[in-house]
Amino acid sequence: MSDPLHEVLSRSAAVSVTATLIAVLIGIPLGTALALARLPGRRLLVTAVNTGMAVPTVVVGLFVALALWRSGPLGNLDLIYTLRGMVIAQVLIATPLITAITMAALQLLPPDLPDQLRGLGANRRQLVVQLWLEARLPLLAAAMAGFGHALSEVGAATIVGGNLHGQTQVMTTAIVEDVGRGEFASASAYAGVLLALAFAVNGLLTSVQQRGATWARS
Amino acid sequence: MGAVVNLRDVRQRRAGREVLRLDALDLEAGERLAVLGPNGAGKTTLLRLLAAIDPPSDGAVLVDGVSTRTGGVALRRRVAYATQRPGLLHTSALHNVELPLAWRKLPRQRRRELATAALEHLGISHLAGRPAHALSGGEMQRVSLARALATEPSLLLLDEPAAGLDPESRSTFLADVEHALADRATTVVHVSHRAEEALRLADRVAVLVAGELRQLDTPSALTCRPNDATVARLVGYDNVLGASIDRDGAVRVAGHTVGLSSAELTGPATIAVWGAGVRLNAAGVGGLRRIVTRVTPGPGRWEVALDGPDQLRAYLSRRVTPPVPGERVVVTFDPDLAAVIATRAS
């Protein structure tokens, strides 16, 4: 029998929201740098980011588990089978997606906009903030996609978290476990709540996003 | 107070190719310089150098004695650069105008005052609350100009501000620009590939062709004495053709005298003639023999196209009866509406 629903739900939400926030903090600046700066090896980095989007979550989970395993390079951190280890795995899953969408969003802005803003006196920080505001709709979409990716993945959560009852069991791993036991009613309940959680978070972000879209259209 | 601008030995290269070469260009405080040139002449490259967006590959660009290489944000904030596309942000027109003032850390109340005044100055205060992207092309250009003017720049750079507007909107917009700049001491550099825009707003006009300064003169001198055939075409001469000048000063085109003479030049030359300076005479008088191919009514004139290698165009007053297509005429030129130019490679 899986953990009580409210425990699994709060664990899932905490892990995925934390991972998404960290991935946003990494992915948006990284995507911005890839879109705007003339970095050495930029093409290689872009290819790596795009590849990162296609890597199965179970493979990410494997690599993270190998790194966090007690005999692995980060074994002394004691993060395997912990929520923090799961957050690391989900950050690695969500970051490429957020980075790639950010990069594409900024590249779709009018190409002379950065020069126009510089020509009006923006310093580098003001310029970047203004470009983010201008691309706020796709950037919110990037955050939503990252959150959805993190929340829905099961492979990395199982491998890195271990689906330990009372500790690392999250919605997706609980569903897999219940289905394996033939407890479809319980699995369906988890699935319904998972959908509701995804709907609530994305609904919040969408309302912010579409408020901006309405303004842009009007 | 307008900025003093000096360019010295400026070379700008892109992908290994020299796209701008200016040995010297100086602007006095408050001067209005138009930069006229065809596409690819280096006009926008020049503006980007002046806006301190790009450093020159070689040489120095100085604004009030400060190099654009080292002036940083402080220098860029004394300059306002309005690019060809208005580049308005997805927010209200008023907020667009306020934004550069916010970057300069002006108090909210002062920002609002300056932005509102700039919008009023251009007659668009009623657009303040409208989303910038819902505005028409002309309204966007005015908001873009208001945004640049609100910062009270020492140096205002306008890159084809009327591009993309229809002729009527363009004329109205340029009148608004003239009005907005009338009581300001700002130094202005205005880029255009349209002679009528460049000549209208400028104290002096710099003609750029293929990255080189071909002529720097007052609008009056430029239109009366273009340096070469390319400049003559750019300032709007309707007819530019090869000629030769006899030792006695008579100008000949294809061996025929055409009513022009030159006291200073001999040998190969170029002549530039406004359409209104082309006289169509009855056969028998000395001049170029041509056949009328088309007559069309123009603004207050008849526009007459003639056959021949030079494809001459003549503008006749609407008071006269125009020739008819197929009619033979003898062409001479009015010396007051023509320029004789020493031939140089162009």
Side-chain angles (χ1 to χ4, degrees):
Chain A
M1 181 66 186
S2 298
D3 290 344
L5 181 62
H6 70 276
E7 278 185 27
V8 183
L9 174 63
S10 60
R11 217 176 278 140
S12 265
V15 168
S16 296
V17 168
T18 307
T20 304
L21 288 175
I22 295 170
V24 162
L25 290 175
I26 298 169
I28 289 183
L30 181 59
T32 304
L34 289 173
L36 302 179
R38 294 173 188 155
L39 301 169
R42 179 184 172 278
R43 189 166 293 186
L44 190 67
L45 280 167
V46 172
T47 306
V49 167
N50 289 337
T51 305
M53 287 194 295
V55 174
T57 58
V58 69
V59 174
V60 175
L62 174 65
F63 288 147
V64 173
L66 288 172
L68 300 182
W69 205 257
R70 288 185 176 81
S71 58
L74 301 175
N76 58 340
L77 299 177
D78 215 15
L79 292 172
I80 191 73
Y81 301 144
T82 66
L83 293 180
R84 282 191 287 172
M86 292 168 71
V87 168
I88 291 171
Q90 292 197 356
V91 166
L92 291 175
I93 288 165
T95 298
L97 197 63
I98 293 172
T99 304
I101 296 175
T102 299
M103 186 174 62
L106 294 177
Q107 286 176 330
L108 282 173
L109 291 175
D112 53 358
L113 185 59
D115 286 342
Q116 171 96 55
L117 300 180
R118 271 190 213 105
L120 290 166
N123 62 28
R124 190 175 302 180
R125 183 182 58 78
Q126 290 163 339
L127 170 72
V128 168
V129 168
Q130 202 55 53
L131 293 178
W132 284 346
L133 286 172
E134 202 57 11
R136 57 192 178 271
L137 303 184
L139 293 189
L140 276 168
M144 285 189 269
F147 175 72
H149 214 42
L151 185 69
S152 62
E153 76 82 24
V154 64
T158 306
I159 296 174
V160 178
N163 192 32
L164 302 179
H165 288 206
Q167 293 178 49
T168 61
Q169 187 171 58
V170 290
M171 300 296 282
T172 51
T173 58
I175 292 169
V176 171
E177 182 182 303
D178 284 355
V179 168
R181 289 178 177 166
E183 295 174 5
F184 291 106
S186 171
S188 299
Y190 280 125
V193 172
L194 185 64
L195 278 173
L197 175 63
F199 191 81
V201 173
N202 283 304
L204 182 69
L205 290 172
T206 303
S207 78
V208 175
Q209 186 194 45
Q210 292 308 305
R211 209 176 303 150
T214 306
W215 169 253
R217 272 197 308 272
S218 61
Chain B
M1 184 67 185
V4 174
V5 178
N6 307 99
L7 285 86
R8 288 287 175 276
D9 301 317
V10 168
R11 306 285 182 271
Q12 188 67 339
R13 285 181 288 277
R14 198 173 299 132
R17 193 172 68 88
E18 193 169 272
V19 293
L20 187 67
R21 180 187 185 86
L22 283 174
D23 292 334
L25 179 63
D26 300 299
L27 274 75
E28 293 173 13
E31 185 174 0
R32 279 153 204 190
L33 177 78
V35 181
L36 178 65
N39 291 337
K43 305 187 296 293
T44 299
T45 302
L46 173 61
L47 284 196
R48 291 173 62 89
L49 291 176
L50 293 171
I53 290 174
D54 297 328
S57 305
D58 289 312
V61 178
L62 306 174
V63 178
D64 281 338
V66 179
S67 168
T68 55
R69 287 180 198 280
T70 55
V73 175
L75 176 64
R76 280 198 281 115
R77 288 187 176 166
R78 302 184 50 214
V79 180
Y81 175 34
T83 53
Q84 190 171 338
R85 286 192 288 188
L88 299 181
L89 302 161
H90 282 88
T91 178
S92 70
L94 179 65
H95 189 236
N96 265 283
V97 179
E98 282 184 336
L99 200 59
L101 304 172
W103 293 337
R104 287 160 173 79
K105 311 283 185 213
L106 266 68
R108 180 182 292 267
Q109 182 63 28
R110 182 70 182 139
R111 293 199 307 251
R112 185 56 53 96
E113 285 169 10
L114 285 171
T116 305
L119 291 170
E120 278 174 6
H121 213 69
L122 283 156
I124 48 170
S125 51
H126 60 288
L127 302 177
R130 296 261 298 276
H133 284 75
L135 304 177
S136 70
E139 290 169 339
M140 282 189 186
Q141 293 287 10
R142 283 174 177 79
V143 173
S144 174
L145 183 62
R147 183 170 62 172
L149 288 173
T151 61
E152 298 183 330
S154 302
L155 175 59
L156 175 64
L157 307 172
L158 303 173
D159 192 353
E160 309 241 17
L165 301 182
D166 60 63
E168 190 181 337
S169 305
R170 192 183 309 134
S171 177
T172 314
F173 175 73
L174 290 173
D176 287 347
V177 174
E178 273 183 291
H179 170 69
L181 295 175
D183 54 354
R184 287 173 192 259
T186 310
T187 304
V188 180
V189 180
H190 166 220
V191 152
S192 180
H193 68 275
R194 294 174 191 275
E196 69 270 23
E197 282 177 31
L199 299 172
R200 179 171 175 173
L201 297 174
D203 299 320
R204 286 192 299 164
V205 181
V207 181
L208 277 183
V209 178
E212 288 195 3
L213 184 62
R214 285 288 178 86
Q215 191 164 354
L216 178 62
D217 245 320
T218 62
S220 170
L222 191 73
T223 49
C224 293
R225 295 184 297 280
N227 272 354
D228 60 40
T230 307
V231 174
R233 286 193 188 92
L234 280 168
V235 298
Y237 276 92
D238 304 291
N239 305 289
V240 179
L241 53 165
S244 63
I245 305 173
D246 293 346
R247 286 193 180 148
D248 63 1
V251 175
R252 291 178 180 273
V253 176
H256 301 277
T257 57
V258 288
L260 301 178
S261 63
S262 171
E264 301 92 28
L265 304 174
T266 55
T270 299
I271 58 171
V273 189
W274 300 105
V278 178
R279 293 173 178 157
L280 305 182
N281 308 290
V285 182
L288 294 172
R289 277 151 177 76
R290 294 287 184 267
I291 296 173
V292 173
T293 55
R294 196 177 67 249
V295 179
T296 48
R301 66 197 185 195
W302 296 108
E303 297 181 0
V304 181
L306 304 169
D307 75 339
D310 31 45
Q311 301 281 301
L312 292 173
R313 282 191 297 161
Y315 298 152
L316 305 179
S317 165
R318 288 296 285 265
R319 284 197 293 267
V320 305
T321 305
V324 293
E327 189 172 335
R328 292 177 184 279
V329 292
V330 174
V331 177
T332 56
F333 302 130
D334 180 345
D336 292 332
L337 294 172
V340 181
I341 307 162
T343 295
R344 52 159 281 180
S346 61

